[in-house]
């Protein structure tokens, strides 16, 4: 079994990585991907993130931009804003996986939000999923 969480966006060549997962798995093995879209580019997301960042900066006295990746690094990643369920499904299919299906994990996001500050919850509105495929 190969299990990844929030990994696809960090890979400069996710197609190659997923093909390699298929290569190293035994017959009947599974690849499980937990991922999502972190920034859909919508006005809603931009406004939520701005308000969230401003609240964190003012009320929590923390720098919400600390630790962000450079523009150069982000530009080298094809999924820097996250990977959609549709795209991840296609990656698995193209790599030769079968019996590909998704599992709704929105309940996990709800639990995570319970432990975040009010200001972080405002910006935390991601499309989140678990996808799996069989070799």
């Amino acid at each position: 079994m190969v299990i990844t969480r929030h990994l696809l966006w960090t890979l400069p060549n996710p197609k190659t990585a997923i093909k390699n997962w298929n290569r190293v798995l035994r017959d009947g093995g599974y690849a499980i991907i937990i991922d999502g879209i972190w920034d859909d580019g919508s006005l809603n997301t931009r406004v939520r993130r701005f308000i969230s960042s401003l609240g964190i900066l003012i009320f929590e006295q923390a720098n919400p931009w600390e630790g962000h990746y450079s523009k150069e690094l982000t530009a080298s990643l094809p999924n820097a804003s996250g990977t959609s369920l549709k795209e991840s499904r296609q990656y698995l299919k193209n790599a030769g996986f079968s019996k590909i299906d998704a599992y709704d994990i929105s309940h996990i996001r709800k639990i995570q939000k319970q432990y975040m500050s009010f200001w972080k919850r405002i910006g935390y509105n991601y499309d989140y999923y678990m996808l799996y495929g069989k070799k």
Side-chain angles (χ1 to χ4, degrees):
M1 186 174 294
V2 173
I3 301 174
T4 68
R5 180 178 174 266
H6 305 171
L7 177 73
L8 291 181
W9 78 271
T10 69
L11 301 174
N13 195 334
K15 292 176 187 177
T16 300
I18 294 173
K19 284 180 183 177
N20 283 325
W21 300 347
N22 191 318
R23 183 181 55 80
V24 300
L25 280 170
R26 292 182 182 163
D27 288 341
Y30 282 88
I32 299 173
I33 297 170
I34 300 169
D35 228 301
I37 295 289
W38 319 125
D39 184 357
D40 63 6
S42 71
L43 178 60
N44 182 314
T45 297
R46 290 195 311 267
V47 169
R48 290 173 76 88
R49 285 194 169 178
F50 175 77
I51 292 169
S52 176
S53 295
L54 191 59
I56 290 168
L57 185 66
I58 294 169
F59 297 106
E60 296 180 18
Q61 298 182 349
N63 181 352
W65 301 281
E66 188 175 68
H68 279 222
Y69 298 95
S70 71
K71 289 181 182 181
E72 295 79 21
L73 177 61
T74 302
S76 72
L77 303 173
N79 298 313
S81 296
T83 309
S84 71
L85 175 59
K86 181 180 177 181
E87 189 171 20
S88 292
R89 188 182 300 271
Q90 192 63 48
Y91 285 149
L92 286 175
K93 183 179 177 183
N94 291 346
F97 286 90
S98 63
K99 297 185 180 180
I100 300 167
D101 204 358
Y103 181 75
D104 181 13
I105 57 172
S106 57
H107 62 286
I108 293 174
R109 185 177 57 201
K110 289 176 187 173
I111 292 168
Q112 289 173 326
K113 286 177 90 167
Q114 290 176 351
Y115 297 95
M116 292 178 181
S117 71
F118 171 77
W119 298 106
K120 287 183 182 173
R121 284 195 311 264
I122 290 173
Y124 189 78
N125 191 33
Y126 307 128
D127 181 19
Y128 201 42
Y129 60 85
M130 182 175 85
L131 180 70
Y132 55 92
K134 184 176 182 179
K135 176 175 179 177

